[in-house]
Amino acid sequence: MRELNSTDISNVSGGAFSFSDYGQSLGLAIGNAVSSKVAEAASLLGKGIGNIFECKFIDAVNNMSTGIRGIISWAKSR
């Protein structure tokens, strides 16, 4: 059996899959379906939701609040 290198350790511990990256991509896709102007805000909201699953609560609050403010701003401007 061989010793794990840093790439192997990262992959095993979830480094190859990030909930925040997945949430950001999903939010961007949904945002683009609604409007290109809301896509960035939706991606931040999705990233914040992904941060919750990664237990990065401060980042989650920051990203989600920025995303929600962006979506509300977009909705008011319509």
Side-chain angles (χ1 to χ4, degrees):
M1 217 151 89
R2 68 179 179 87
E3 184 177 328
L4 298 177
N5 61 29
S6 60
T7 304
D8 295 332
I9 293 170
S10 176
N11 289 340
V12 168
S13 66
F17 176 79
S18 169
F19 283 111
S20 62
D21 291 341
Y22 180 72
Q24 185 175 14
S25 298
L26 186 60
L28 184 64
I30 293 170
N32 277 325
V34 174
S35 169
S36 61
K37 293 181 181 179
V38 79
E40 183 179 347
S43 70
L44 282 172
L45 179 60
K47 185 173 185 171
I49 293 169
N51 287 140
I52 291 173
F53 290 107
E54 294 177 353
C55 296
K56 296 179 180 177
F57 300 113
I58 294 173
D59 291 339
V61 170
N62 288 336
N63 287 327
M64 289 173 63
S65 63
T66 303
I68 290 170
R69 278 194 309 266
I71 292 170
I72 290 172
S73 174
W74 170 79
K76 284 182 177 181
S77 69
R78 291 192 58 168

